[in-house]
Amino acid sequence: MEHVLGCATSLVSCQKVFEGPLVNSLLSIRQGGLKMYIIEDKGGAIALMLASLFFLGTWPAVLTLLERRGRLPQHTYLDYSITNLLAAVLIALTFGQLGDSKPNMPNFFTQLSQDNWPSVLFAMAGGVVLSIGNLSTQYAWAYVGLSVTEVISSSMVVVIGTTLNYFLDNRINRAEILFPGVACFLVAVILGSAVHASNAADNEEKLNGSTNIYKLGENGSVEPNKEVIEKDAPKDLENGASATKYVAKAEAGTAEYLIELEERRSIKVFGSSTFIGLGIVFFSGVCFSLFSPAFNLATNDQWHTLKQGVPHLVVYTAFFYFSISCFVIGIGLNILFLYRPMAGVPKSSFKAYLNDWEGRQWALLAGFLCGFGNGFQFMGGQAAGYAAADAVQALPLVSTFWGILLFGEYRKSSRKTYILLGFMLFMFIVAVAVLMASSGHRSTK
């Protein structure tokens, strides 16, 4: 529980780190009257990207924590979807409504009544693919692990999405810097796959060598020794204890720990093919690659779909429509999954969801983190270029930190796994620095 409370404490610390350049940019209102707040300077854009990087790297850890404690992913995602939309509404009603409306930059309420449906549809299409991608990763975290899932999917976003954004942004980013950064992410995809394969081999070796109270059944299924299990033992989700009583708590990284986790978690992964998890990860990566270019088209109308004289969607209005479609897809699919679950998750019902308060506050927090993280990414991208804003896809640096701190990922792994993990993280550090260095400046004229 102390580790989880550390997440919330870190958010306060993060505010102090970023408040300098961010607040200075927020207060840069032109003399002579209020103006809707739009990021126009590179420093403010980079500050928003760094804040977005922290938020987008933290919310997956919160959802992973709940899944490992046994909360059904359908319940968690329904809670998450509510506050994710609420974050977009708050951004639209504050930043998007600040000051007087201008002819070429109307405020939020003014744009709701304008004939801008082609741009609205682009924004909503981006929300659809993001929602499907987020839903996919919720299952991929269980199969592949938090760190590797984020590495591979984020790298695919940069390799595919950043290239698309570069051309959509009329090449405002410096190609001689941008594309070496893309290459670093491509290398990280390969290293991430290697880390997963090596860690999976380590875990299999631990399980095969286990002589404790558990044994592996056919196809890797878990068969606890029934003489040692007390079937009616209560399940303590808050403290992470499973229904099985142990003489001593299993140490992270051991075979007993892996089996205890499998007993407790809501998505059962033992005995599944490695390629199932990787397939889900690559599918989510393709979805994530498309949402930022779609949002770019919604706010800048590079394909000239708007009628003459109709202003472009401001970033806040576009993000509102983007989040509406995210909400509809997320709610609709997860209500379906309540009654027709996948990946071996138990069936549930809407009534059971409403009565499930275990960990609800953390799911709601995750929705806020993701919502504000996406909003800050788009606000920074509008100023410095969406290709450079894709630097927030280095979020696995944050996710890996939480994965190791909270979940003991890679504990007691082989030297080969540690070396690959180190190289993977090094490539991400280089990649995020290079992408931020490629930032350009979008003309607002």
Side-chain angles (χ1 to χ4, degrees):
M1 186 63 184
E2 290 80 3
H3 291 313
V4 181
L5 293 175
C7 295
T9 305
S10 297
L11 296 180
V12 178
S13 302
C14 179
Q15 177 187 6
K16 296 179 180 179
V17 172
F18 296 122
E19 67 181 359
L22 189 54
V23 169
N24 290 337
S25 184
L26 284 169
L27 295 178
S28 60
I29 300 175
R30 294 179 181 177
Q31 294 182 353
L34 285 171
K35 177 189 175 186
M36 182 193 306
Y37 173 64
I38 295 290
I39 288 281
E40 294 182 352
D41 63 284
K42 185 175 178 178
I46 290 178
L48 282 174
M49 286 186 242
L50 289 173
S52 175
L53 173 62
F54 177 81
F55 291 162
L56 292 179
T58 299
W59 77 266
V62 178
L63 293 195
T64 300
L65 178 68
L66 294 176
E67 186 276 323
R68 286 177 169 232
R69 288 182 170 183
R71 193 169 197 250
L72 295 182
Q74 309 97 304
H75 295 185
T76 297
Y77 205 90
L78 287 169
D79 289 333
Y80 153 90
S81 297
I82 295 171
T83 47
N84 187 58
L85 175 62
L86 182 57
V89 173
L90 291 174
I91 289 175
L93 295 180
T94 52
F95 295 141
Q97 196 61 27
L98 178 66
D100 298 326
S101 180
K102 305 293 181 182
N104 63 336
M105 195 177 291
N107 60 30
F108 173 64
F109 286 126
T110 301
Q111 283 215 306
L112 292 180
S113 61
Q114 292 179 338
D115 186 14
N116 45 30
W117 278 104
S119 293
V120 168
L121 291 177
F122 277 122
M124 298 186 77
V128 169
V129 291
L130 177 66
S131 184
I132 294 174
N134 280 342
L135 186 58
S136 301
T137 56
Q138 187 175 212
Y139 292 88
W141 293 328
Y143 282 98
V144 182
L146 178 63
S147 303
V148 173
T149 296
E150 298 301 316
V151 166
I152 295 178
S153 61
S154 296
S155 297
M156 290 180 65
V157 169
V158 174
V159 173
I160 301 173
T162 300
T163 302
L164 293 174
N165 277 325
Y166 171 74
F167 291 103
L168 288 174
D169 280 336
N170 198 25
R171 307 182 183 185
I172 67 174
N173 299 96
R174 299 167 61 186
E176 68 275 14
I177 298 179
L178 176 67
F179 286 106
V182 172
C184 290
F185 277 106
L186 183 59
V187 172
V189 171
I190 300 172
L191 289 173
S193 300
V195 169
H196 172 58
S198 179
N199 194 53
D202 293 342
N203 289 341
E204 184 177 355
E205 183 177 349
K206 294 173 187 176
L207 293 170
N208 288 335
S210 175
T211 58
N212 211 314
I213 63 173
Y214 293 97
K215 65 178 181 177
L216 292 179
E218 295 181 1
N219 300 320
S221 60
V222 182
E223 293 183 0
N225 187 332
K226 297 180 181 179
E227 295 178 0
V228 187
I229 291 179
E230 187 174 320
K231 293 183 179 180
D232 296 326
K235 187 174 185 179
D236 183 1
L237 293 177
E238 185 61 23
N239 295 316
S242 70
T244 304
K245 281 191 173 181
Y246 297 92
V247 177
K249 186 177 180 180
E251 182 181 0
T254 62
E256 288 72 24
Y257 175 84
L258 295 174
I259 299 173
E260 178 185 352
L261 174 63
E262 180 74 4
E263 289 276 308
R264 183 175 67 238
R265 72 188 320 159
S266 59
I267 303 175
K268 307 302 181 184
V269 299
F270 275 11
S272 61
S273 170
T274 301
F275 295 104
I276 293 177
L278 288 176
I280 297 174
V281 172
F282 280 105
F283 172 75
S284 67
V286 172
C287 293
F288 288 147
S289 300
L290 300 176
F291 84 84
S292 181
F295 194 92
N296 194 350
L297 286 166
T299 55
N300 296 298
D301 192 35
Q302 292 93 333
W303 291 352
H304 308 291
T305 57
L306 292 175
K307 294 180 180 179
Q308 186 74 22
V310 177
H312 295 174
L313 283 185
V314 296
V315 65
Y316 312 111
T317 310
F319 185 49
F320 171 75
Y321 284 115
F322 174 93
S323 299
I324 286 286
S325 62
C326 264
F327 175 81
V328 171
I329 295 297
I331 293 292
L333 287 179
N334 278 280
I335 288 178
L336 174 64
F337 291 159
L338 287 175
Y339 300 95
R340 295 181 177 273
M342 51 186 274
V345 176
K347 282 186 177 182
S348 183
S349 66
F350 195 72
K351 180 180 179 181
Y353 157 68
L354 293 176
N355 293 328
D356 181 12
W357 287 90
E358 288 286 349
R360 172 159 287 165
Q361 70 275 24
W362 298 112
L364 296 173
L365 172 63
F368 274 122
L369 290 174
C370 184
F372 282 108
N374 284 329
F376 288 168
Q377 177 188 359
F378 294 143
M379 290 165 66
Q382 187 64 17
Y386 286 96
D390 282 339
V392 303
Q393 296 305 326
L395 58 91
L397 291 173
V398 180
S399 295
T400 299
F401 169 78
W402 291 125
I404 293 173
L405 180 67
L406 291 178
F407 312 132
E409 287 189 351
Y410 309 113
R411 198 76 56 84
K412 296 184 181 298
S413 292
S414 64
R415 183 179 180 182
K416 176 184 176 182
T417 299
Y418 288 138
I419 292 174
L420 289 171
L421 179 64
F423 275 117
M424 179 189 74
L425 296 178
F426 173 76
M427 293 307 300
F428 263 87
I429 293 171
V430 172
V432 68
V434 172
L435 256 67
M436 285 190 171
S438 76
S439 299
H441 184 271
R442 188 187 305 280
S443 174
T444 57
K445 295 181 180 179

